[in-house]
Amino acid sequence: MPRINIWPLLLLCAALPLQGCFDIVEQLTLSENGSGSLRLVLNLSKSRSRVQSLMKMKTVNGRRVPQQADISRQFDEITNTLKKTPGIHQLKGRLDFDNFIATIECRFGSVQQLNQAALKLAQQHQWKKEGLEKLYSYQPASGQFTRQAPFTLEKEYRELSNADREIFSGALYTGIFRFDRAVKSMSNTKSKKSADNKAVMLQSPMTDIITGKQSIDNTIQLSL
Amino acid sequence: MSLHHFLLAVCCTAVSATTHAQSLLSKVPADAALVIRYSGENFATNVPVKKLDSYPFIRNNLYQLLHIDTLVSLDETGINLQQDAFQYILTGDTGTCFVTLLMLRDTAQFKSLLQQQMQAELRPVYRNGYASATISSGSYVAWNHQWAVITMSSYLLRKKYYDYPVVSADTAAEPVLITVAPPAAAEKVEIVTEKPAPRKTTPVKPGAGRKKTGVSAQKKPAKKMPAKKPAPKKETIPDEIVEDHLSYEDSLYNARRDAWFAEQQRHADAVQQKMADSISELAFNSTVKSIINEISYPKLIDPAAHVTVWLNYDNLLSQYAGLLFKGMGKSMYNGWQPRNTGQNTHDGFRTGLSIFFEKNRMRMEQKMYSPNPQLSQLGKEMYSSRQSGALAGYINPGCVAYLSSSLNTEALANYWYHLMRQYLSSNPFTGEYADIVDVYMDLMEIIIDEKSIGELLPGNAVMVLHSLQPRMISYTDYEYDDNFKATEVIKTRQEMAPDFSIVLETKKEAFMQKLARLPLKYADKGKFSYKDQGGYYELSLDSTRNPMKALYFMVKNGRAVITTSLETVNHTLNNTGYPLDEITRQSVFGNNFSLRINTKKIIEQLRPELGDGLNQKITRYFEENMGDLSMEGSYRDGLIQGTTYMNINGKHTNSLEFFFNMIEDLNTILEKDKTERAQKVD
């Protein structure tokens, strides 16, 4: 049955608290032998007062709002899975509910182990799995490092209501890849090289990444 | 034809039209719980049918809903939209009916409209001067050449299959193991369409279908055996060969369940049809005791209004409560009966709402009345107080919104006793012990000192949203140096924070003081900052983390104050107040409640929070088209009365057209935004 769109009023109200700013920061440091460290940060502190208000509600835009206990439980599940992944060690997970910042840090023996960890998480939480085995790759011999976005969420994004889409407006992705060798070149033209030539950074609005307007795929050639 | 004849014909037509409209109201029964009337003027002059046809959302959505061709006009539905239409709800112990009464212009067109709503061919049954047909399960229509009755009836006493689940073996399959002779009950298998009789044994939940069926089948005959006779060892059922059947895997169980549901549906359809038929018969061929004869209807409803709503709380509440208790009685086997509403006086409050779509505003007149003189008097007493000047002084000129209320809480408490007495005496269980209930309520009246409640909070209160102030809030961000090394930095951003005051009048100042002082002792333990600032208390909030810097609490001169504003604190300390403009003064002091929302100001102050894009476009639309909202009410002419005004701006012929325009314009904004987003994605 067709729906008469008399709900824009309600939609506006529902969208207000959600129009948020959040940052996702991915920092990967890679040694020549393929081992390294990863730091992932989800920073919602810019929207702190809104998130605080949201968490007092049961549902927003028809979706259940997870409470502090739910988030902690889910976060613990993720960190436990990562801890159990072979090759992942020194894992530290931190949930700061004062500032609404979630941080996961770990060391790894090879980037393949990170891919395995991502696959394991996807299996456990029934997320999309395609391409996760190629999330990161590194050939020490050729000195080539690749970061690939495993899939696009464009279809899912298009299916979201306007109110839900507003969540992503203002959200920013920052990817920093640091090496102990100089960077010769990188395939993603939007990425920048650091002054010391040993790091590459890519910043992009989340909406551009989700909709495929901006790719985060990058092949970085290191000097041998 | 002479001019006289012509004028006579015109007058007759007009009178006839009026008579029709009148006659439809006369078809609305007096025991309806809710009656809505839509004036024909809405589509005759306010938003003419031609204008209505021109809205794309009407064509795209409403026409689709009605399954009519987008090329035709609403005029071609056969319904006379320029005559009054009525809707009412009848509630009973077995069902609810939502009835619509419409005047017709063209029966053939109306029949064609009905046909379009149906999957099968429309097959009207002609009887006693009208035709009737079933549109779908629960939807029925009846019409003659002048008007139509559409009834949506709903049978509310559908039984629940899983109330008494019976878990049995898969009787369609060969039993795996039979040790003792199978019970007689298991031999005689029938498809039962009636509900199985409740057993006295504890009901087994459907989830218990995993029970060992062989064992279950043997339990009954086993009871008939001598109790102490030990079962021979060879008859013991070995666990490994007992088949585990789920009831939903059982083919016969499924067939029985489907048949039971089908029978239930047939029964429900028959009851619903019967309800609809009786309504049609009553409407076409009987004299209905009309709502117009209900004492409150003419008192509460203004016939000149464009839309009116009449609501009888007593009917609605008591009948739904009856239904609720009937359900409980069934499920608990405790013999509870529905509320005996027959013994109710049915003289509770009725409410009437008359809506006028005026040129620059929508006006809603709300009236409440009870035919019971005692209740009416209580209503009068509740509204017998007036707002105090000291409290009104907290309303600052140019505030974003305020609500002033002045109710006699002592009278309100007395009304509560009346309600409780009425409820408990008609309640099936407590109703049998009316004398005890009476004593109990007397005791409550003795224990609860409504006079003290009235002194603690006499009922005068003011809530003011002074403004929405921008506040700087801190957040964590990252800055990167030339080598992309991240440094955590604390930045600030602007957020809007409400600046408000809530002021309550009290005559028990000592108690309120005690209450305000209470957190002082526990502040250290509770790790919050609550300080006595000499005359008022300050609860400090981390201003870098919260939009509000502090909350102030104080009790002085018979006022309990909670506020974010130091100005309000100073006013209370110095016993001063803001001067009121004439309109606010009249509204606050001339009424028991007064509310005003400055829509433009709210939108203006919230604008920085709304981001870019779609929200800004929608906000701009509201800013340009919506005016202030105000509401006031008092006890006048023996009725509790209230008036709400919603002002409108922009280029709209009247406020009804504004609503249609608004839906259309917002749809256009949303569609445009959708297209722009899609283009961006592409």
Side-chain angles (χ1 to χ4, degrees):
Chain A
M1 196 162 64
R3 192 165 60 88
I4 300 175
N5 288 332
I6 57 166
W7 309 115
L9 271 166
L10 299 174
L11 192 144
L12 171 74
C13 304
L16 283 181
L18 273 178
Q19 198 205 13
C21 305
F22 65 90
D23 291 346
I24 291 177
V25 184
E26 176 191 17
Q27 277 193 75
L28 188 137
T29 307
L30 195 72
S31 308
E32 195 176 344
N33 65 0
S35 66
S37 64
L38 177 75
R39 182 184 156 93
L40 291 171
V41 180
L42 173 65
N43 180 359
L44 283 102
S45 75
K46 215 181 274 185
S47 314
R48 186 175 51 210
S49 48
R50 281 170 186 158
V51 178
Q52 272 169 342
S53 317
L54 274 180
M55 284 177 68
K56 286 180 184 125
M57 295 157 77
K58 282 193 173 172
T59 56
V60 172
N61 297 342
R63 292 171 203 274
R64 188 178 163 267
V65 178
Q67 299 304 298
Q68 196 165 320
D70 302 325
I71 297 167
S72 298
R73 197 174 49 244
Q74 188 98 6
F75 189 76
D76 288 346
E77 273 176 32
I78 291 172
T79 50
N80 285 335
T81 308
L82 291 175
K83 270 179 196 166
K84 286 176 193 163
T85 310
I88 305 287
H89 52 101
Q90 292 180 33
L91 190 127
K92 283 180 207 158
R94 210 167 44 249
L95 262 181
D96 174 0
F97 280 109
D98 282 340
N99 296 299
F100 291 99
I101 300 174
T103 314
I104 291 178
E105 284 176 285
C106 69
R107 293 197 65 79
F108 55 86
S110 79
V111 288
Q112 276 308 318
Q113 288 158 348
L114 287 181
N115 297 342
Q116 285 306 313
L119 262 172
K120 219 168 162 184
L121 280 176
Q123 269 167 355
Q124 205 170 49
H125 295 90
Q126 292 171 341
W127 298 336
K128 271 188 171 185
K129 283 182 283 188
E130 56 177 273
L132 282 177
E133 67 282 356
K134 292 182 200 157
L135 203 57
Y136 304 102
S137 67
Y138 174 62
Q139 277 87 43
S142 60
Q144 196 178 65
F145 171 82
T146 310
R147 165 71 166 101
Q148 277 189 337
F151 43 73
T152 168
L153 293 168
E154 188 185 342
K155 190 171 161 267
E156 287 82 353
Y157 182 75
R158 279 175 188 270
E159 283 167 5
L160 287 179
S161 66
N162 283 323
D164 285 340
R165 285 183 189 186
E166 287 296 329
I167 298 167
F168 297 95
S169 69
L172 188 75
Y173 163 82
T174 306
I176 299 166
F177 304 98
R178 209 178 298 283
F179 309 94
D180 54 7
R181 282 185 282 171
V183 173
K184 255 172 96 175
S185 65
M186 56 275 188
S187 64
N188 194 317
T189 52
K190 296 276 176 189
S191 59
K192 292 186 290 185
K193 229 191 285 185
S194 65
D196 66 359
N197 238 358
K198 285 185 176 175
V200 173
M201 179 159 83
L202 175 71
Q203 274 191 314
S204 171
M206 281 299 290
T207 44
D208 288 357
I209 296 169
I210 291 169
T211 56
K213 200 176 163 191
Q214 170 66 54
S215 169
I216 57 166
D217 287 0
N218 209 352
T219 301
I220 300 165
Q221 182 60 56
L222 307 171
S223 59
L224 291 170
Chain B
M1 187 194 278
S2 71
L3 185 64
H4 280 93
H5 281 115
F6 176 74
L7 286 174
L8 186 66
V10 170
C11 286
C12 285
T13 313
V15 169
S16 144
T18 314
T19 313
H20 290 156
Q22 203 62 38
S23 69
L24 283 189
L25 180 61
S26 70
K27 301 293 176 192
V28 179
D31 56 349
L34 172 85
V35 181
I36 307 171
R37 172 185 151 271
Y38 304 92
S39 165
E41 204 186 320
N42 292 327
F43 299 122
T45 51
N46 285 347
V47 183
V49 177
K50 264 191 182 169
K51 172 81 185 164
L52 211 58
D53 281 333
S54 71
Y55 290 106
F57 83 89
I58 293 274
R59 284 188 178 280
N60 297 339
N61 299 100
L62 184 67
Y63 282 25
Q64 268 179 35
L65 197 73
L66 295 172
H67 303 105
I68 56 175
D69 193 331
T70 53
L71 296 174
V72 301
S73 160
L74 276 177
D75 247 348
E76 291 167 47
T77 55
I79 300 167
N80 191 342
L81 293 167
Q82 295 171 15
Q83 292 279 0
D84 290 6
F86 294 85
Q87 289 184 311
Y88 65 89
I89 291 177
L90 275 181
T91 58
D93 285 343
T94 51
T96 301
C97 292
F98 183 63
V99 186
T100 304
L101 299 168
L102 298 163
M103 293 302 296
L104 297 182
R105 278 181 61 251
D106 187 320
T107 320
Q109 282 177 344
F110 182 66
K111 272 166 75 178
S112 161
L113 174 73
L114 291 176
Q115 181 60 74
Q116 280 155 354
Q117 315 308 310
M118 295 175 63
Q119 303 277 331
E121 193 190 337
L122 176 75
R123 291 184 181 181
V125 177
Y126 295 92
R127 59 177 114 178
N128 302 334
Y130 68 93
S132 67
T134 303
I135 304 172
S136 62
S137 172
S139 306
Y140 310 90
V141 60
W143 69 93
N144 63 13
H145 66 284
Q146 284 179 318
W147 51 283
V149 185
I150 300 169
T151 307
M152 316 280 273
S153 57
S154 167
Y155 175 56
L156 297 171
L157 296 182
R158 283 172 194 259
K159 293 171 184 169
K160 287 177 185 160
Y161 188 76
Y162 294 104
D163 275 357
Y164 322 97
V166 178
V167 181
S168 57
D170 189 345
T171 40
E174 281 295 314
V176 176
L177 175 76
I178 299 175
T179 50
V180 192
E187 284 170 359
K188 197 178 177 184
V189 177
E190 288 173 17
I191 295 176
V192 181
T193 51
E194 283 298 318
K195 186 116 197 138
R199 290 177 178 182
K200 284 194 174 179
T201 49
T202 315
V204 184
K205 286 187 177 177
R210 282 188 175 272
K211 286 216 167 186
K212 291 168 190 174
T213 51
V215 175
S216 160
Q218 289 165 35
K219 274 193 174 170
K220 229 177 177 177
K223 277 185 183 174
K224 290 176 186 170
M225 291 177 184
K228 288 186 178 177
K229 193 179 176 182
K233 272 185 182 175
K234 60 180 179 182
E235 287 183 7
T236 309
I237 305 158
D239 278 353
E240 65 270 19
I241 55 168
V242 173
E243 197 176 47
D244 197 14
H245 282 297
L246 296 175
S247 57
Y248 56 78
E249 286 171 352
D250 188 316
S251 53
L252 188 61
Y253 180 92
N254 286 344
R256 179 164 32 190
R257 187 184 56 195
D258 291 347
W260 189 87
F261 277 118
E263 177 59 25
Q264 277 287 305
Q265 187 57 46
R266 272 195 293 277
H267 178 65
D269 283 346
V271 175
Q272 287 170 173
Q273 171 92 58
K274 207 173 161 188
M275 288 193 284
D277 284 351
S278 76
I279 284 171
S280 303
E281 186 59 32
L282 199 71
F284 285 104
N285 291 321
S286 307
T287 311
V288 179
K289 192 193 170 196
S290 164
I291 190 73
I292 198 92
N293 300 316
E294 216 279 351
I295 184 166
S296 70
Y297 194 85
K299 273 180 185 285
L300 302 180
I301 294 299
D302 187 336
H306 296 113
V307 174
T308 64
V309 181
W310 178 88
L311 180 68
N312 184 347
Y313 290 128
D314 205 78
N315 272 355
L316 259 189
L317 293 183
S318 61
Q319 288 181 52
Y320 276 108
L323 206 72
L324 177 76
F325 280 104
K326 185 169 267 184
M328 274 179 79
K330 282 242 183 264
S331 63
M332 295 168 72
Y333 310 111
N334 63 2
W336 276 29
Q337 294 298 310
R339 282 183 70 189
N340 185 356
T341 53
Q343 285 177 10
N344 259 18
T345 45
H346 292 294
D347 56 4
F349 277 108
R350 283 98 161 107
T351 295
L353 182 68
S354 302
I355 305 171
F356 300 83
F357 298 110
E358 295 172 351
K359 169 104 182 70
N360 293 320
R361 66 183 185 185
M362 184 175 80
R363 177 165 57 96
M364 287 183 282
E365 301 278 359
Q366 192 191 356
K367 292 175 184 174
M368 278 176 84
Y369 164 80
S370 165
N372 180 332
Q374 193 198 349
L375 266 184
S376 195
Q377 182 60 28
L378 275 174
K380 190 179 175 181
E381 282 168 17
M382 277 194 285
Y383 280 74
S384 62
S385 63
R386 278 288 173 266
Q387 187 58 276
S388 83
L391 263 68
Y394 286 95
I395 303 169
N396 60 307
C399 65
V400 176
Y402 78 79
L403 168 67
S404 153
S405 72
S406 178
L407 284 173
N408 181 345
T409 36
E410 193 182 330
L412 202 66
N414 285 322
Y415 175 57
W416 182 80
Y417 297 130
H418 174 90
L419 268 186
M420 283 305 288
R421 262 181 220 279
Q422 191 187 34
Y423 174 76
L424 291 173
S425 61
S426 60
N427 199 346
F429 184 70
T430 49
E432 286 180 35
Y433 304 95
D435 295 339
I436 299 173
V437 167
D438 202 37
V439 172
Y440 171 74
M441 286 311 296
D442 282 347
L443 187 68
M444 290 284 281
E445 281 196 56
I446 294 165
I447 295 169
I448 300 172
D449 186 353
E450 64 275 1
K451 218 173 176 67
S452 277
I453 294 173
E455 279 175 7
L456 182 69
L457 295 167
N460 282 346
V462 165
M463 282 174 248
V464 190
L465 180 59
H466 302 292
S467 63
L468 290 161
Q469 295 287 347
R471 297 263 157 82
M472 297 314 283
I473 302 291
S474 70
Y475 67 94
T476 307
D477 204 356
Y478 306 97
E479 277 182 357
Y480 302 95
D481 66 11
D482 290 347
N483 292 324
F484 304 149
K485 279 195 178 143
T487 316
E488 226 175 69
V489 286
I490 304 296
K491 290 186 177 173
T492 52
R493 70 192 291 261
Q494 187 178 297
E495 272 190 24
M496 301 307 289
D499 194 12
F500 66 88
S501 297
I502 299 170
V503 189
L504 308 164
E505 192 181 45
T506 181
K507 286 174 185 163
K508 296 253 182 191
E509 212 177 302
F511 174 78
M512 289 302 228
Q513 276 287 5
K514 218 185 238 182
L515 209 64
R517 212 180 306 122
L518 204 59
L520 275 178
K521 198 179 166 187
Y522 302 98
D524 286 344
K525 214 174 179 181
K527 289 177 184 166
F528 58 88
S529 167
Y530 190 82
K531 286 176 187 159
D532 186 346
Q533 301 287 21
Y536 65 97
Y537 302 93
E538 181 178 352
L539 173 70
S540 301
L541 302 165
D542 183 352
S543 61
T544 61
R545 291 166 183 271
N546 294 289
M548 282 181 288
K549 208 169 71 183
L551 262 180
Y552 305 103
F553 300 84
M554 65 190 302
V555 182
K556 197 171 190 285
N557 298 330
R559 285 167 253 162
V561 183
I562 303 167
T563 182
T564 55
S565 160
L566 269 175
E567 219 170 321
T568 297
V569 171
N570 288 331
H571 276 314
T572 316
L573 287 173
N574 304 324
N575 207 13
T576 54
Y578 298 107
L580 293 183
D581 61 78
E582 198 45 41
I583 296 171
T584 311
R585 175 182 295 277
Q586 277 182 13
S587 182
V588 169
F589 294 121
N591 292 284
N592 290 87
F593 60 89
S594 164
L595 166 90
R596 198 143 298 176
I597 299 173
N598 189 331
T599 316
K600 204 176 169 72
K601 206 160 197 162
I602 283 190
I603 296 174
E604 243 175 45
Q605 299 200 346
L606 279 176
R607 170 163 278 180
E609 289 284 288
L610 299 174
D612 301 322
L614 180 64
N615 285 346
Q616 282 293 350
K617 286 176 200 163
I618 294 175
T619 311
R620 201 168 304 122
Y621 183 83
F622 284 132
E623 202 174 358
E624 285 165 8
N625 291 279
M626 276 182 80
D628 294 350
L629 184 84
S630 62
M631 192 190 280
E632 51 195 31
S634 60
Y635 190 89
R636 294 193 298 270
D637 309 325
L639 303 169
I640 297 168
Q641 300 197 39
T643 310
T644 306
Y645 298 101
M646 201 196 90
N647 294 304
I648 57 159
N649 301 318
K651 293 170 187 167
H652 311 283
T653 315
N654 54 63
S655 52
L656 180 63
E657 197 194 273
F658 158 74
F659 283 110
F660 283 98
N661 289 345
M662 181 180 70
I663 295 169
E664 186 54 45
D665 293 341
L666 291 178
N667 264 341
T668 310
I669 292 172
L670 285 176
E671 285 304 314
K672 213 174 155 188
D673 182 75
K674 215 169 154 183
T675 317
E676 281 171 11
R677 278 174 189 261
Q679 279 170 356
K680 269 186 194 173
V681 172
D682 296 335

mmCIF file of all heavy atoms in Angstrom, chain B residues 655-668:
data_model
loop_
_atom_site.group_PDB
_atom_site.id
_atom_site.type_symbol
_atom_site.label_atom_id
_atom_site.label_comp_id
_atom_site.label_asym_id
_atom_site.label_seq_id
_atom_site.Cartn_x
_atom_site.Cartn_y
_atom_site.Cartn_z
ATOM 1 N N SER B 655 -5.913 28.075 6.312
ATOM 2 C CA SER B 655 -5.034 27.140 7.024
ATOM 3 C C SER B 655 -5.224 25.685 6.591
ATOM 4 O O SER B 655 -4.318 24.875 6.745
ATOM 5 C CB SER B 655 -5.208 27.283 8.535
ATOM 6 O OG SER B 655 -6.559 27.199 8.883
ATOM 7 N N LEU B 656 -6.396 25.348 6.029
ATOM 8 C CA LEU B 656 -6.561 23.979 5.527
ATOM 9 C C LEU B 656 -5.689 23.801 4.281
ATOM 10 O O LEU B 656 -4.987 22.795 4.137
ATOM 11 C CB LEU B 656 -8.037 23.683 5.198
ATOM 12 C CG LEU B 656 -8.312 22.275 4.665
ATOM 13 C CD1 LEU B 656 -7.972 21.205 5.702
ATOM 14 C CD2 LEU B 656 -9.762 22.107 4.235
ATOM 15 N N GLU B 657 -5.724 24.821 3.449
ATOM 16 C CA GLU B 657 -4.891 24.763 2.239
ATOM 17 C C GLU B 657 -3.410 24.700 2.631
ATOM 18 O O GLU B 657 -2.615 24.035 1.979
ATOM 19 C CB GLU B 657 -5.162 25.982 1.351
ATOM 20 C CG GLU B 657 -4.654 25.773 -0.066
ATOM 21 C CD GLU B 657 -4.608 27.052 -0.863
ATOM 22 O OE1 GLU B 657 -5.631 27.392 -1.470
ATOM 23 O OE2 GLU B 657 -3.533 27.706 -0.887
ATOM 24 N N PHE B 658 -3.084 25.399 3.737
ATOM 25 C CA PHE B 658 -1.698 25.383 4.217
ATOM 26 C C PHE B 658 -1.214 23.952 4.446
ATOM 27 O O PHE B 658 -0.113 23.581 4.070
ATOM 28 C CB PHE B 658 -1.587 26.202 5.516
ATOM 29 C CG PHE B 658 -0.393 25.855 6.367
ATOM 30 C CD1 PHE B 658 0.885 26.261 5.984
ATOM 31 C CD2 PHE B 658 -0.531 25.111 7.529
ATOM 32 C CE1 PHE B 658 1.996 25.933 6.768
ATOM 33 C CE2 PHE B 658 0.570 24.784 8.302
ATOM 34 C CZ PHE B 658 1.834 25.190 7.918
ATOM 35 N N PHE B 659 -2.078 23.117 5.069
ATOM 36 C CA PHE B 659 -1.662 21.740 5.355
ATOM 37 C C PHE B 659 -1.407 20.961 4.067
ATOM 38 O O PHE B 659 -0.431 20.224 3.960
ATOM 39 C CB PHE B 659 -2.713 21.025 6.216
ATOM 40 C CG PHE B 659 -2.648 21.454 7.649
ATOM 41 C CD1 PHE B 659 -3.646 22.214 8.208
ATOM 42 C CD2 PHE B 659 -1.560 21.121 8.435
ATOM 43 C CE1 PHE B 659 -3.581 22.627 9.528
ATOM 44 C CE2 PHE B 659 -1.475 21.528 9.757
ATOM 45 C CZ PHE B 659 -2.494 22.282 10.302
ATOM 46 N N PHE B 660 -2.314 21.140 3.104
ATOM 47 C CA PHE B 660 -2.109 20.442 1.823
ATOM 48 C C PHE B 660 -0.849 20.960 1.137
ATOM 49 O O PHE B 660 -0.052 20.190 0.621
ATOM 50 C CB PHE B 660 -3.339 20.626 0.928
ATOM 51 C CG PHE B 660 -4.497 19.761 1.329
ATOM 52 C CD1 PHE B 660 -5.527 20.253 2.103
ATOM 53 C CD2 PHE B 660 -4.543 18.425 0.952
ATOM 54 C CE1 PHE B 660 -6.585 19.453 2.496
ATOM 55 C CE2 PHE B 660 -5.595 17.605 1.343
ATOM 56 C CZ PHE B 660 -6.621 18.122 2.113
ATOM 57 N N ASN B 661 -0.689 22.304 1.163
ATOM 58 C CA ASN B 661 0.495 22.891 0.532
ATOM 59 C C ASN B 661 1.768 22.396 1.214
ATOM 60 O O ASN B 661 2.766 22.104 0.555
ATOM 61 C CB ASN B 661 0.457 24.420 0.619
ATOM 62 C CG ASN B 661 -0.613 25.009 -0.286
ATOM 63 O OD1 ASN B 661 -1.133 24.324 -1.160
ATOM 64 N ND2 ASN B 661 -0.955 26.273 -0.068
ATOM 65 N N MET B 662 1.717 22.329 2.546
ATOM 66 C CA MET B 662 2.902 21.931 3.296
ATOM 67 C C MET B 662 3.316 20.499 2.932
ATOM 68 O O MET B 662 4.495 20.236 2.667
ATOM 69 C CB MET B 662 2.632 22.025 4.795
ATOM 70 C CG MET B 662 3.840 21.648 5.638
ATOM 71 S SD MET B 662 3.522 21.750 7.402
ATOM 72 C CE MET B 662 2.410 20.402 7.636
ATOM 73 N N ILE B 663 2.341 19.587 2.893
ATOM 74 C CA ILE B 663 2.672 18.199 2.540
ATOM 75 C C ILE B 663 3.292 18.164 1.151
ATOM 76 O O ILE B 663 4.318 17.517 0.915
ATOM 77 C CB ILE B 663 1.416 17.296 2.617
ATOM 78 C CG1 ILE B 663 0.911 17.220 4.061
ATOM 79 C CG2 ILE B 663 1.715 15.889 2.105
ATOM 80 C CD1 ILE B 663 -0.455 16.573 4.214
ATOM 81 N N GLU B 664 2.664 18.915 0.234
ATOM 82 C CA GLU B 664 3.170 18.927 -1.138
ATOM 83 C C GLU B 664 4.578 19.528 -1.209
ATOM 84 O O GLU B 664 5.487 18.959 -1.829
ATOM 85 C CB GLU B 664 2.199 19.740 -2.022
ATOM 86 C CG GLU B 664 2.528 19.714 -3.494
ATOM 87 C CD GLU B 664 2.640 18.304 -4.035
ATOM 88 O OE1 GLU B 664 1.781 17.468 -3.713
ATOM 89 O OE2 GLU B 664 3.626 18.018 -4.751
ATOM 90 N N ASP B 665 4.762 20.673 -0.544
ATOM 91 C CA ASP B 665 6.062 21.357 -0.618
ATOM 92 C C ASP B 665 7.165 20.530 0.031
ATOM 93 O O ASP B 665 8.275 20.448 -0.492
ATOM 94 C CB ASP B 665 5.982 22.739 0.047
ATOM 95 C CG ASP B 665 5.065 23.678 -0.730
ATOM 96 O OD1 ASP B 665 4.806 23.391 -1.908
ATOM 97 O OD2 ASP B 665 4.585 24.671 -0.140
ATOM 98 N N LEU B 666 6.858 19.922 1.170
ATOM 99 C CA LEU B 666 7.893 19.116 1.840
ATOM 100 C C LEU B 666 8.219 17.871 1.024
ATOM 101 O O LEU B 666 9.373 17.458 0.948
ATOM 102 C CB LEU B 666 7.452 18.736 3.256
ATOM 103 C CG LEU B 666 7.385 19.899 4.237
ATOM 104 C CD1 LEU B 666 6.903 19.425 5.596
ATOM 105 C CD2 LEU B 666 8.738 20.584 4.401
ATOM 106 N N ASN B 667 7.192 17.300 0.396
ATOM 107 C CA ASN B 667 7.457 16.162 -0.493
ATOM 108 C C ASN B 667 8.379 16.570 -1.629
ATOM 109 O O ASN B 667 9.296 15.849 -1.992
ATOM 110 C CB ASN B 667 6.142 15.640 -1.085
ATOM 111 C CG ASN B 667 5.606 14.467 -0.294
ATOM 112 O OD1 ASN B 667 6.350 13.836 0.452
ATOM 113 N ND2 ASN B 667 4.349 14.177 -0.442
ATOM 114 N N THR B 668 8.119 17.763 -2.165
ATOM 115 C CA THR B 668 8.940 18.264 -3.276
ATOM 116 C C THR B 668 10.383 18.451 -2.810
ATOM 117 O O THR B 668 11.318 18.051 -3.497
ATOM 118 C CB THR B 668 8.373 19.621 -3.786
ATOM 119 O OG1 THR B 668 6.988 19.450 -4.000
ATOM 120 C CG2 THR B 668 9.044 20.067 -5.067
#
